[in-house]
Amino acid sequence: RRSSAECFRRAVPVLCATMAAVAGRRADDAILETMTQQLLQISSVFLVQQSELQQVRDRLKKELVRVNTISEALTSAAQQHQDAVLTVIQNYESVAAESAGDALGPVAATSAAVVAAGTAASVSEGGHRAPPPPPPPMQMSAPGAPPPHLDQALARQQSVRQVHLPPVASQPSVFTQLPAPPDEDEDEGIRYVDNLRVVGGLLGTPLKASGEFVGTPEATWFRQRSSLTGRGEDRFVPLGAAQGLEYLPTADDVGAVLRLECVGPYGGKPVAVETSPIALDPPTHAELEAFLRKGQAEFHAFTPQQEARIVLVTRKNIKVRSKSSRMGGGASTLYKQGYQRPVTAVVDEHSPQDGEIWGDVGREHSPQDG
């Protein structure tokens, strides 16, 4: 009995430890199985999301192709619309010219033909305008004179045609050196200025010149001024202080051809580049057209004493009004001047918001805001 009790006492701890180990192993297996199932579920979710992303990518590619197709179609339609509008305008001008010629008789038709020929001939092969020939004087007797209303209609038509809008451009252009006369090409001397070119042509964008120089050239800028008498070619007038290889066009240059002449440091004949007429960017051009259609432009300004003023530019004159005049009552116009007398407007080159406007009797307004 004593030996049996001793064996039982020894066997019980071993049996308990064995049972505990078996139970722990079973718990670990259950945990591993649970973790494996969770990992499989996460992996399946990732595969589904990857498939959905691929589908989204394919749809985006199809939409991008569709957007590009629509963009090309819109561009083509816009170009066709622009061509159609230009064609309509040309047809309208042709019909108007023919109607005016039929109404005024052979003399008016001859004058219109001369003016049209002069306008067509005023653009040379290089794109530079030449002065149109003066129209012949109209002589008609009293019995054959057109009715007064036809004279008024023709005068209105000519006044509208005299409003020539400046060209419009969305990006700068590149202008290259003018060819030298044949006798100068035979000169084999050193070319101190060669391959001269100018980049620009837009109001607000500097004209920048570059080329192959030996030393530092002397640069002078010119503006083309048309001859109003019709006697002689257009001439270029120096721009005063505009020296150097860079020039910022002003409002006075809009619609005019600019010319750059460079001379080497040791003299010689000048090398020249001529631009096309200085153009406006599309937003500014559209704003100018809106002002012309409206018939007036209004600007809010301040005097040096910070008194509010309104500058009103109409087809007949320019007016300066007090700000309170907008509320009505009293003498609203402080100054008024027609265009038959000189009117000068100067914008500060260092501050586009500041400037001065004055007539032929002295300065009337300074500076302007906006």
Side-chain angles (χ1 to χ4, degrees):
R1 289 180 181 177
R2 184 176 298 174
S3 62
S4 297
E6 185 69 23
C7 290
F8 180 76
R9 190 169 51 250
R10 292 178 181 177
V12 168
V14 174
L15 182 60
C16 291
T18 302
M19 294 299 292
V22 171
R25 189 170 300 130
R26 288 178 180 176
D28 292 340
D29 292 341
I31 293 172
L32 288 175
E33 184 176 358
T34 303
M35 293 177 62
T36 302
Q37 292 177 355
Q38 292 177 350
L39 289 174
L40 289 175
Q41 292 177 354
I42 294 173
S43 177
S44 63
V45 171
F46 283 161
L47 291 175
V48 171
Q49 291 180 347
Q50 185 177 3
S51 176
E52 292 177 351
L53 288 175
Q54 184 63 36
Q55 294 176 0
V56 171
R57 186 179 301 149
D58 295 339
R59 286 199 299 269
L60 289 176
K61 287 182 179 179
K62 293 180 180 178
E63 290 297 328
L64 182 59
V65 173
R66 196 166 138 207
V67 168
N68 291 334
T69 304
I70 294 174
S71 177
E72 293 176 357
L74 290 175
T75 302
S76 177
Q79 185 63 39
Q80 293 176 1
H81 176 73
Q82 183 178 2
D83 295 341
V85 170
L86 293 176
T87 302
V88 170
I89 293 175
Q90 293 174 356
N91 293 336
Y92 175 78
E93 291 181 349
S94 300
V95 171
E98 292 176 0
S99 300
D102 294 339
L104 296 180
V107 176
T110 304
S111 300
V114 172
V115 173
T119 303
S122 62
V123 181
S124 62
E125 295 180 357
H128 310 299
R129 297 189 64 83
M138 296 180 60
Q139 298 179 357
M140 51 181 64
S141 59
H149 68 277
L150 291 180
D151 283 339
Q152 296 175 0
L154 182 59
R156 286 196 300 269
Q157 183 180 5
Q158 291 176 349
S159 65
V160 171
R161 290 189 176 183
Q162 287 176 359
V163 179
H164 298 288
L165 288 176
V168 58
S170 57
Q171 59 184 0
S173 303
V174 179
F175 310 100
T176 57
Q177 176 177 321
L178 295 177
D183 55 346
E184 294 185 13
D185 290 340
E186 299 176 358
D187 187 5
E188 298 181 357
I190 298 177
R191 295 185 177 181
Y192 296 99
V193 179
D194 198 13
N195 293 330
L196 186 63
R197 53 180 288 177
V198 174
V199 179
L202 275 171
L203 180 66
T205 301
L207 288 165
K208 297 182 178 180
S210 60
E212 299 175 4
F213 306 132
V214 178
T216 303
E218 179 182 350
T220 306
W221 294 87
F222 300 83
R223 180 192 302 129
Q224 188 181 47
R225 177 176 296 177
S226 299
S227 174
L228 301 179
T229 62
R231 301 175 182 175
E233 299 180 352
D234 296 351
R235 59 193 181 95
F236 286 89
V237 180
L239 291 179
Q243 306 292 334
L245 296 177
E246 184 172 330
Y247 172 69
L248 181 62
T250 65
D252 295 332
D253 301 321
V254 174
V257 175
L258 299 184
R259 178 187 179 96
L260 171 65
E261 292 186 358
C262 288
V263 180
Y266 306 106
K269 295 185 178 180
V271 177
V273 173
E274 291 183 5
T275 69
S276 60
I278 300 300
L280 297 176
D281 58 90
T284 305
H285 194 270
E287 185 177 10
L288 179 59
E289 286 184 323
F291 285 149
L292 290 175
R293 285 194 299 267
K294 187 177 179 181
Q296 67 179 29
E298 184 177 296
F299 304 94
H300 296 270
F302 295 91
T303 66
Q305 294 76 25
Q306 296 301 311
E307 298 174 348
R309 295 287 185 266
I310 296 175
V311 180
L312 187 63
V313 181
T314 67
R315 296 184 185 274
K316 296 181 179 180
N317 50 42
I318 182 171
K319 300 178 182 179
V320 178
R321 295 179 176 178
S322 61
K323 188 71 172 181
S324 59
S325 65
R326 298 287 291 177
M327 306 303 295
S332 60
T333 301
L334 302 177
Y335 178 77
K336 179 174 68 174
Q337 178 176 313
Y339 299 120
Q340 68 274 13
R341 294 185 294 169
V343 177
T344 304
V346 178
V347 179
D348 191 342
E349 62 179 350
H350 302 293
S351 176
Q353 299 296 326
D354 296 334
E356 295 181 345
I357 299 176
W358 65 89
D360 61 350
V361 295
R363 300 187 179 185
E364 299 293 339
H365 177 74
S366 167
Q368 59 181 345
D369 182 12

